Amino acid sequence: MQEERSIEKLIRMMCDFNPRSESDLVRLAYEFAQKAHAGQQRMNGEEYITHALGTGYHLASMKMDDATIIAGILHDVPDETQYTIEQIRHEFGKEIGELVDGVGRLGKLKYRGKERYAENLRKMFVSIARDIRIVIIKFADRMHNLETLDALPNDKQKRIAREVIDIYAPIADRLGIGKVKTRLEDLAFPYLDPEIYRTVSAMVIPATQEKEAYLARIHDRIAHVLTEHGLQGYAILSRVKCIYSTYIKMQKKCSESLDGIYDLVAARIIVPTIADCYAALGIIHQYWKPLKGRIKDYIAQPKPNNYRSLHTTVFCEDGEIVEFQIRTPEMDREARYGIAAHWHYDEAQKQSARMTQKLDWLNEILKLQERTQGNDDEYLSSLKLDIFQNRIFVFTPKGDVLNLPENSTVVDFAYHIHSDIGRRCSGAYVNDVHVSLSTILQSGDVVEIIVEKNRKKPSSDWLRFVKTHVAKSHIKSQLKEVRS
Ligand code: MN
């Protein structure tokens, strides 16, 4: 059963983590969305505003900044109501307008199955490079959709679940937002394959409960051992593995049982400093014998998504096998919130040049990914080439993506769709604004070409501004064609 949600509760949540939250503006956004969505219903019969509120809730639980939460509340207004993005810009300012606009654009991208995976991933990254908050709003939107997925027909449920598993969760993972990744996966899994979900959860849930009970029993023993060796200010928690990642692990092991999966529930030890992390590891190994090859130092060598922690698996009390994860509070926060932590109130204070830091951070991921390359992920390497070597990504109104060199114009775009579209183009709408043919496109633009049906040849003037080889050669040959 879901908790009762209200705008007042949401505002209280925001003020809890950021005393300077602009609660008036949040309330205004809520009233605006309420008015805009008035009379609309979700598939489950609830009023539409519950979706706006639910999205805002998820963003608040990620401790996002005011602008992101407000944009989350407003995210479906331009596409689902008679109110326009201009009105939102006018009422709530440029920053919120940009975020809402970006979410709308992401919403138009259709995932058409595995073979378009890489392409869609790129599209998502395009907007990440512009403002990662847009993607985070989309995560929150998806989480609420998954919570209310029961009301949808089967095939739609499956499609949405597939998209979440193939596109959204991996991106959340790469951005280091562990909290969102596991939440998305466990919400989607039951719809992806109900039968497998039933089988796996019937195995995992009781085993997890057993392990949790065991860890609760030995909690004091662990605490005693750590204290005895002078460790102070630590906390011992337990972390339960998400059902979907357990299933993936079973698949990797080609196993139909939980044999060899030791981290269904892990003991997580939070200690004040990095030195304490290594000290705790040493203490644990003194008491309990570690399993071979299972000591991982992700502090010295962080995962590509910046995850840091020490892991070890030991034969613990009564011979039970237990995984320990040791980290500082900062590492713990980063592991849960990842890049989203950049917008946390206290963080925001510290970071004035947020944008550049964000990009540095992404570049860092890409560099790390490159280093760990091999089997892992061919997408990210191609992505790196595409995004960072002077290429732009632009969309057709249907959400297909075109990858063009920087400074490409409307005419380049038209020729890349088809030489006949190029020949006949007479103008274009870029993001719904009428523009001239020589207009230079930017990453993320949605471009609709206006064709003049009876036009036979291109203009030789175009050769002065087109950028791509494809456009140039077509224009030249079409000009010749008509002359001869
Ligand atoms: Mn939505």
Side-chain angles (χ1 to χ4, degrees):
M1 192 54 211
Q2 220 184 73
E3 49 171 341
E4 269 296 304
R5 285 170 180 164
S6 71
I7 186 64
E8 292 309 323
K9 252 191 176 176
L10 172 66
I11 288 171
R12 247 177 284 138
M13 268 168 82
M14 289 175 72
C15 293
D16 274 351
F17 66 79
N18 175 6
R20 287 202 225 150
S21 282
E22 292 183 76
S23 43
D24 288 346
L25 198 59
V26 180
R27 206 170 281 118
L28 217 62
Y30 180 73
E31 282 159 14
F32 187 93
Q34 218 171 12
K35 194 167 68 176
H37 290 295
Q40 293 178 340
Q41 281 188 344
R42 300 273 291 166
M43 285 292 278
N44 62 2
E46 284 182 61
E47 281 183 62
Y48 204 98
I49 191 71
T50 56
H51 173 62
L53 192 61
T55 306
Y57 249 77
H58 286 302
L59 291 166
S61 74
M62 291 180 231
K63 302 188 185 178
M64 293 304 292
D65 62 345
D66 293 349
T68 310
I69 296 173
I70 291 169
I73 292 171
L74 296 169
H75 81 274
D76 273 331
V77 166
D79 283 336
E80 303 289 337
T81 78
Q82 56 178 353
Y83 291 84
T84 62
I85 187 72
E86 279 68 39
Q87 277 165 296
I88 288 182
R89 266 199 199 103
H90 181 74
E91 299 279 335
F92 297 95
K94 191 167 175 264
E95 184 185 13
I96 291 169
E98 291 291 301
L99 291 173
V100 173
D101 191 34
V103 176
R105 283 190 213 180
L106 274 192
K108 289 186 187 75
L109 310 176
K110 292 281 178 290
Y111 176 55
R112 300 181 181 90
K114 208 72 183 170
E115 78 279 5
R116 292 177 67 96
Y117 181 82
E119 202 167 65
N120 279 279
L121 203 63
R122 286 194 194 108
K123 291 174 191 168
M124 300 285 287
F125 266 85
V126 172
S127 32
I128 285 176
R130 300 171 87 210
D131 194 328
I132 295 179
R133 291 178 299 173
I134 293 168
V135 178
I136 295 175
I137 296 171
K138 205 59 203 160
F139 289 151
D141 172 41
R142 259 312 141 92
M143 270 192 241
H144 186 263
N145 284 339
L146 288 168
E147 284 169 1
T148 52
L149 209 56
D150 268 340
L152 263 58
N154 260 324
D155 55 325
K156 261 199 151 168
Q157 290 178 345
K158 270 216 166 64
R159 186 184 65 74
I160 291 175
R162 184 85 260 164
E163 190 173 54
V164 166
I165 296 282
D166 287 352
I167 306 290
Y168 288 73
I171 291 177
D173 188 34
R174 269 171 221 155
L175 296 178
I177 320 175
K179 205 177 133 129
V180 167
K181 180 216 172 228
T182 53
R183 184 98 184 99
L184 285 171
E185 285 179 343
D186 272 358
L187 281 168
F189 190 20
Y191 298 101
L192 192 67
D193 195 323
E195 210 163 305
I196 292 182
Y197 173 76
R198 264 194 300 274
T199 317
V200 174
S201 58
M203 243 188 299
V204 171
I205 291 169
T208 299
Q209 283 167 348
E210 224 171 273
K211 193 92 181 190
E212 271 188 304
Y214 166 79
L215 281 178
R217 277 201 305 279
I218 64 161
H219 176 280
D220 290 355
R221 171 80 181 132
I222 300 172
H224 177 78
V225 163
L226 294 176
T227 306
E228 207 174 35
H229 285 78
L231 209 66
Q232 281 179 342
Y234 59 83
I236 304 169
L237 312 166
S238 63
R239 169 315 252 122
V240 175
K241 199 178 182 68
C242 100
I243 297 181
Y244 183 75
S245 39
T246 306
Y247 164 63
I248 293 299
K249 206 160 195 178
M250 286 165 73
Q251 275 196 322
K252 272 190 196 145
K253 291 181 180 293
C254 298
S255 164
E256 290 190 0
S257 76
L258 299 173
D259 293 347
I261 299 181
Y262 304 124
D263 63 342
L264 275 186
V265 187
R268 185 169 288 165
I269 299 181
I270 314 283
V271 294
T273 66
I274 291 179
D276 290 334
C277 291
Y278 291 102
L281 182 75
I283 298 167
I284 289 163
H285 284 175
Q286 258 180 67
Y287 277 81
W288 301 298
K289 194 174 150 57
L291 266 73
K292 267 208 185 101
R294 299 202 43 118
I295 306 165
K296 307 234 171 71
D297 185 348
Y298 295 121
I299 295 177
Q301 284 170 318
K303 285 193 185 180
N305 67 2
N306 224 9
Y307 175 85
R308 291 183 301 157
S309 205
L310 296 177
H311 288 194
T312 184
T313 307
V314 301
F315 293 101
C316 205
E317 298 294 293
D318 310 316
E320 278 268 349
I321 296 176
V322 175
E323 178 174 309
F324 281 85
Q325 303 177 347
I326 308 162
R327 54 177 80 162
T328 65
E330 191 198 348
M331 293 176 199
D332 191 50
R333 194 176 63 122
E334 279 175 8
R336 279 188 290 152
Y337 296 102
I339 202 165
H342 285 234
W343 288 276
H344 289 183
Y345 174 65
D346 50 335
E347 282 298 294
Q349 304 277 78
K350 284 184 245 151
Q351 293 175 9
S352 47
R354 217 190 271 164
M355 189 62 200
T356 42
Q357 290 207 0
K358 205 167 54 189
L359 288 174
D360 283 344
W361 195 89
L362 264 187
N363 280 325
E364 200 49 47
I365 293 186
L366 292 167
K367 265 186 256 155
L368 276 162
Q369 194 79 29
E370 193 180 36
R371 254 180 270 151
T372 57
Q373 193 85 56
N375 43 8
D376 206 30
D377 214 330
E378 76 213 63
Y379 305 125
L380 268 166
S381 63
S382 60
L383 198 85
K384 182 180 181 292
L385 293 177
D386 288 344
I387 287 188
F388 292 96
Q389 291 186 350
N390 313 320
R391 306 288 295 185
I392 59 163
F393 290 90
V394 283
F395 307 130
T396 71
K398 281 184 183 163
D400 288 314
V401 73
L402 259 72
N403 176 343
L404 298 170
E406 230 168 35
N407 297 321
S408 288
T409 62
V410 165
V411 173
D412 290 295
F413 179 93
Y415 274 99
H416 274 77
I417 293 183
H418 196 281
S419 55
D420 276 336
I421 304 279
R423 181 208 304 262
R424 297 195 168 94
C425 72
S426 68
Y429 292 98
V430 171
N431 309 324
D432 297 327
V433 177
H434 193 214
V435 300
S436 71
L437 288 173
S438 60
T439 302
I440 289 172
L441 301 173
Q442 310 289 337
S443 244
D445 281 345
V446 178
V447 186
E448 185 181 352
I449 299 290
I450 306 165
V451 246
E452 205 177 297
K453 272 234 165 82
N454 300 321
R455 183 168 191 152
K456 290 274 173 343
K457 63 170 193 148
S459 158
S460 54
D461 284 351
W462 297 355
L463 288 168
R464 285 189 288 122
F465 59 74
V466 291
K467 169 92 182 164
T468 58
H469 175 73
V470 170
K472 268 180 208 155
S473 63
H474 277 306
I475 293 169
K476 282 181 194 156
S477 71
Q478 285 171 349
L479 286 171
K480 271 187 217 149
E481 236 171 69
V482 182
R483 254 182 247 134
S484 56

